[in-house]
Each structure stands twice: as structure tokens, then as C-alpha cells.
Amino acid sequence: MIAVANATAGLSLCLLAARAAGGGNRADGLCVLPSWTHEATAIAVVRAGLTPWFHDVDEASWRLDPDRVAQDIRAEPRVVHVMVTAPFGAQVPFAPWAELSERTGIGVTIDAASCFDGLRGGPVDAVVSLHATKILGIGEGGVVVARDAARASLIRRLARFGLSEDRVIDHVGMNAKLSEYAAAVGLAALDEWPARRAGFAWRRERYAARLDGRNGIRVWRPEGLSSSLMVRLPAPTAVETAEALRRLGIETRCWWQAGCHRQPALEGFPRRPLPVTEALAESVLGLPYHDDLDASAIDRVAAALLALTAD
Ligand SMILES: Cc1ncc(COP(=O)(O)O)c(C=O)c1O
């Protein structure tokens, strides 16, 4: 594991490390990634010198599907890497991606920014965010869980400009070290982690008991907890619902907005058709979910949402 300044830098480091290790050296290299992700995923790709190629996600898992990606990249020799986002605490099964990487020689990195809870190391690199908005927040920070010791040592070096012990740079890195101050905050946050986790767990269960399966609402409840409580609405009304809740004094978030491909600075990058991304963007909403939220506040939010989605 390598502590880094933030997850975005950690993702770029994984891409740089894959390139330094001999994969993905094409000047016109493409990196497959979902559009249904935080913009940071795409930014990390651009900053590592690759071109994002946006792909659609699976409707049920909200993730890239390894079989579909394998099909899509067969006829595209410029693909050098795949970045798979683990959505809102849902872990990505590593095995199919490791198998794809093994078979094709294409690198894979998991953007596990929201997956502090439950992430296990695996045969591909994964990156967790410790940003203040995350379930274990330390201000700014991240952790790279490298696929093996050799990759960890390369990433550690790249996070320190690329300098070796004898101060030689073979591959250009960046300054992505975690500050000692942030590390100390992290150690203190770990002491409180069991209580914090328990708080997120009961709040999610309370939301689920009141909302899941009612009026066609689905509560996103993967095995891991994240700091977002996402619901899928029965219709493409996320923006209108957010506005109606706002008028009731309830703040919500469309965390991944309309998908990365809709951002002006990213819309020029190549993409496959994105119907599932578009549908999720229009129907997924993040409800209030934080340490200060008591049971009656959750009940009020749930009642308001049920009233808005009633036939
Ligand atoms: C999926 C995803 N990737 C990357 C990031 C960026 O993390 P950081 O702020 O630590 O750079 C985030 C942050 O919210 C995220 O949700």
C-alpha cells in the first residue's frame, strides 16, 4: 500500500507505473473508462498522457462489464489501459479484470475511491480516496493498493518525482506524497472508524427500510458502505426531484451529474453509445447521509421522497 496526496494522483500514478513497467507506451494510447464516474477518473487519465475512451456501464452493477469491454477493444489496438470505477462502495470483482489483463497485455486499474470499507488487495492495482467527503476522510489523501510488491515500489518512487534512493529518475513521476499532517489525521480517523462505520450502517438500513422497493425506488446497498446514500428513482426525474426536495429544505446531490462525457472539457473525447449512463444520470440521486443525521430526519426525507414519487 502506498499513501498518496489524493486518489486522482494515485490513479495517474497507476497509469504511469503501467507505462514505466513496459505496457502502454503508445503515444496515441487510449484508456477505456466509464462515463458514469467522478470526473477525477477521466482527469487522471488525461494527466497521465492517455486519451479517455468512454464506455457504458452495466445497468444492474453500474460498472464496466469485462466481457463487453473485451469485445469492444478487440479491434482497437490503441487501447493500452482500462480504468474500472467501483460505484459508491460496490467492490469490483478483480478476477475477470486480471484475466482480461493477462490475456490481452492491457493494464487495468480499479478506481475504488469510495471503497475504503471492504477493499481487499487483488491482482490489479486499486486506488481509494481519503478525501473529506469519503467515509474515512482525512482532508485530502488516498491509498494505492498495488497488485504486487514490485508495482508498489514503482508507484512509491513515482509518487516522489520518480527519484530512486540514489536520486536517479528513470521515469518521470510527480509529487504525490501524502503530507505528514494528513497522515496524522488519518491515524486519528482510524481510531474512530468502528463508531463511524456503525453510524453509516444504521442510517443506510433505516433509509432502506423506509424506501427500498416502495414506489419503484431502489436503495443502492452494495456490500461495502460508502459516504453516499444513492437511490434510483422509478423515472428519469432526478433533477426535478432534487429541486422539489430543495424547496422542502432537503439538500441532495446528483454526484456524477450527467456523466463525464457531458463536461465541456471532456465531451470531445471518443465514446461508445452511453444509454445506461444517460438513464442513470437522469434517475440516480444522493440523499442526505452524514454523522449528524438522526432517525427523525431520515424519516422526513424518506416521507418527502415517497410523497413525490407516489402515483
Ligand atoms: C470515483 C471517484 N474517483 C476519484 C475521486 C477523486 O478522489 P480525490 O478527491 O481523493 O482525488 C473521487 C472523489 O470523490 C471519486 O468519487
Side-chain angles (χ1 to χ4, degrees), residues 5-9 11 37-41 85-86 88 111-114 128-131 133-134 140-142 256:
N6 55 68
T8 312
L11 293 168
T37 183
H38 191 291
E39 292 85 346
T41 321
T85 295
F88 308 109
D111 179 345
S114 62
V128 174
S129 172
L130 302 177
H131 183 257
T133 53
K134 293 292 180 278
E140 292 280 2
W256 291 346

Side-chain angles (χ1 to χ4, degrees), residues 18 44 47-48 63 139 149 201-202 206-207 209 220 237-238 256 278-279 286 289 306:
R47 287 289 159 244
R63 297 188 296 249
W202 79 253
R206 191 158 186 114
Y207 268 122
W220 184 246
T237 55
W256 291 346
E278 305 271 358
Y289 192 46
L306 288 175

Side-chain angles (χ1 to χ4, degrees), residues 230-285:
M230 309 305 289
V231 291
R232 178 134 194 212
L233 303 173
T237 55
V239 172
E240 296 84 340
T241 307
E243 176 54 23
L245 289 171
R246 192 192 61 77
R247 283 197 297 269
L248 295 170
I250 298 169
E251 206 182 332
T252 58
R253 290 274 190 281
C254 294
W255 278 115
W256 291 346
Q257 305 190 81
C260 287
H261 67 290
R262 295 282 180 203
Q263 287 288 1
L266 302 172
E267 67 185 0
F269 290 119
R271 58 182 190 244
R272 301 273 304 161
L274 301 167
V276 176
T277 300
E278 305 271 358
L280 291 174
E282 289 172 354
S283 60
V284 171
L285 199 58

